[in-house]
Amino acid sequence: MTVNPTSRSPRSRRMPRGAVPAAVALLLAAALSAPPAHADPPGVTEDSGPPVRIDPHDPDLRMVQGAELAPAKVLNIKSIVETDDGSERRQDTNDNVTFALQAEVLFGKDSAELTGDAVSRIGTIADEVRKQHATTLRVFGFTDNLGSASHGLVLSKKRATAVQEELAKDLGSEVGFQIRGYGEQYPIADNNTEEGRRKNRRVEVSFPRAGS
């Protein structure tokens, strides 16, 4: 029997060079346009500049001949403490303190009205604000990716405002606020699971550390 080496079954045929399936192109477009997971929202920055000038010619550096000293910078040390049920998370960095409270412990479903338990939790944040002598607070609201994006933006802003108003009662007029509602942007967990979505439905309160 003679076998034609150029004949192939339909499954073995190659796609034309340069062709990209439409589904792959759509996935790439979605990945490029979506906000990065675990990214910090605008306004939350960490100073990585060197605190002191380093002399690259200092003999105590004992560098190999011909080597050059890389630009100096401060590594940001991040500490995260979370409650056992994940309802509250505190993050400390070189420059900032951030509290994240899940929406379920602050509000009812699809509501921006604070619960009784929420008031005591917000009071704990106010105590830390006074301890750090902070005068500017960022209060940001977030949702999961369920429902419409426009509804998430509105709800997250209302929830952030509710937390800000409660903080203002405790801290007085000497403290300024930045209030934002980001909806489903800037997730900190996987929106494909209920556990992840619960973490993403949150209000974050952040402020500078004392001496930063």
Side-chain angles (χ1 to χ4, degrees):
M1 178 173 116
T2 303
V3 179
N4 184 355
T6 62
S7 64
R8 294 192 182 121
S9 66
R11 292 184 179 180
S12 65
R13 292 175 183 170
R14 294 182 180 178
M15 295 181 60
R17 181 173 296 179
V20 179
V24 175
L26 289 173
L27 287 174
L28 287 174
L32 291 174
S33 61
H38 310 287
D40 289 327
V44 181
T45 58
E46 301 290 338
D47 184 10
S48 61
V52 295
R53 181 180 179 277
I54 299 177
D55 182 5
H57 304 294
D58 191 327
D60 292 334
L61 290 177
R62 300 179 183 275
M63 297 177 63
V64 177
Q65 186 175 4
E68 295 183 359
L69 190 65
K73 66 177 181 178
V74 175
L75 296 179
N76 188 29
I77 300 175
K78 182 181 294 186
S79 170
I80 298 177
V81 178
E82 190 175 78
T83 56
D84 291 338
D85 61 358
S87 62
E88 185 171 340
R89 178 172 56 90
R90 172 175 173 158
Q91 175 179 296
D92 288 83
T93 63
N94 295 350
D95 296 327
N96 296 290
V97 179
T98 302
F99 286 90
L101 299 176
Q102 288 184 10
E104 278 77 358
V105 302
L106 296 174
F107 311 99
K109 185 176 181 181
D110 204 31
S111 170
E113 184 176 347
L114 292 170
T115 65
D117 185 39
V119 174
S120 63
R121 290 176 183 254
I122 294 172
T124 300
I125 297 176
D127 291 339
E128 186 64 22
V129 171
R130 283 188 286 266
K131 179 180 176 182
Q132 299 292 341
H133 305 291
T135 57
T136 301
L137 277 66
R138 297 174 292 264
V139 186
F140 296 162
F142 306 87
T143 63
D144 58 28
N145 64 347
L146 299 181
S148 69
S150 59
H151 177 71
L153 287 171
V154 172
L155 180 61
S156 62
K157 176 65 178 298
K158 288 182 176 179
R159 287 176 166 177
T161 300
V163 172
Q164 177 269 325
E165 290 175 346
E166 187 62 33
L167 284 167
K169 292 178 185 177
D170 205 344
L171 297 172
S173 60
E174 295 182 359
V175 175
F177 293 90
Q178 299 174 18
I179 309 167
R180 302 284 188 276
Y182 286 108
E184 65 188 59
Q185 299 180 72
Y186 307 104
I188 58 173
D190 186 1
N191 267 317
N192 292 318
T193 67
E194 176 51 33
E195 180 182 1
R197 289 191 293 268
R198 187 167 58 249
K199 289 185 176 182
N200 290 333
R201 298 189 294 264
R202 69 197 190 279
V203 174
E204 292 187 359
V205 181
S206 61
F207 46 89
R209 292 179 59 85
S212 62

